[in-house]
Amino acid sequence: MGSTSIFTIILIIAASVFSTLAADFIIPEDGNFLVDFSSGSPRVEMLSIHNPNETVQPMLSPEARKRPKLQVDKKKCYSDRRLNLKDYTRSLQMLDDLCAKSPLVPESSIWGYKVGSAYAYMCSYGGYAEHRECSPEELHYDLDYIDQECGSIVEAGWVHHRQIKKRYGRDLSTSKICKGVNL
């Protein structure tokens, strides 16, 4: 079997694994969640339940944030999906607070925070360990990018970085997120 055949087989296997990221799953309640696709089927784990009275560190203003040097390979705006501003803002605040602890997100998984009708999330498509950390700087860079590109803070969307095999986004909690991409 030539190297081209092995490469083709690897691409087919990778495509099937990443296409499972579009599979249906339900986040049963508000809070921090992990959806693990490493076994092929989505396994949802609630890492913490949302406490509406919990206080978190205030997010830095856009001017005070460090700007990572990231190449945006793909972006998507969903003009037909408008987020509830209160739900989205709280989900972003909670995810920002959790990302500040730089957790390592498993390969082929979604890590995020749901409040009411909104998700703020990170998709991990693999890569080196240092690229699988949830970074507040990357999170805000990407969500600010979505604000500018999509024209609204409440429009759903995502930004994908092929080099670090990661995607950040926001969406309605009824939407499929982290669909497979051609890496």
Side-chain angles (χ1 to χ4, degrees), residues 130-147:
E130 66 267 18
H131 296 305
R132 293 196 330 261
E133 288 183 353
C134 184
S135 157
E137 291 83 12
E138 292 173 356
L139 172 70
H140 287 286
Y141 174 85
D142 284 0
L143 295 176
D144 289 348
Y145 187 90
I146 294 168
D147 292 350

Side-chain angles (χ1 to χ4, degrees), residues 18 21 105-109 122-133 162-166 183:
F18 291 121
L21 291 178
V105 178
E107 293 184 42
S108 302
S109 66
M122 180 196 128
C123 313
S124 171
Y125 293 93
Y128 298 110
E130 66 267 18
H131 296 305
R132 293 196 330 261
E133 288 183 353
R162 181 175 293 149
Q163 182 179 17
I164 59 173
K165 299 181 179 183
K166 194 184 294 187
L183 301 173

Side-chain angles (χ1 to χ4, degrees), residues 93-108:
Q93 287 172 331
M94 298 306 291
L95 187 60
D96 173 79
D97 191 60
L98 292 166
C99 284
K101 299 169 180 84
S102 298
L104 188 63
V105 178
E107 293 184 42
S108 302

Side-chain angles (χ1 to χ4, degrees), residues 61-132:
S61 70
E63 299 78 28
R65 293 185 204 129
K66 290 188 281 182
R67 303 310 267 170
K69 296 196 184 313
L70 295 174
Q71 177 180 334
V72 173
D73 296 299
K74 288 188 174 191
K75 67 149 176 67
K76 181 73 175 174
C77 301
Y78 299 100
S79 60
D80 60 331
R81 298 185 199 166
R82 309 288 286 177
L83 307 178
N84 174 290
L85 181 59
K86 183 179 175 188
D87 290 351
Y88 165 63
T89 301
R90 188 63 175 165
S91 68
L92 176 58
Q93 287 172 331
M94 298 306 291
L95 187 60
D96 173 79
D97 191 60
L98 292 166
C99 284
K101 299 169 180 84
S102 298
L104 188 63
V105 178
E107 293 184 42
S108 302
S109 66
I110 304 168
W111 191 70
Y113 208 94
K114 174 188 170 198
V115 174
S117 62
Y119 289 134
Y121 63 87
M122 180 196 128
C123 313
S124 171
Y125 293 93
Y128 298 110
E130 66 267 18
H131 296 305
R132 293 196 330 261

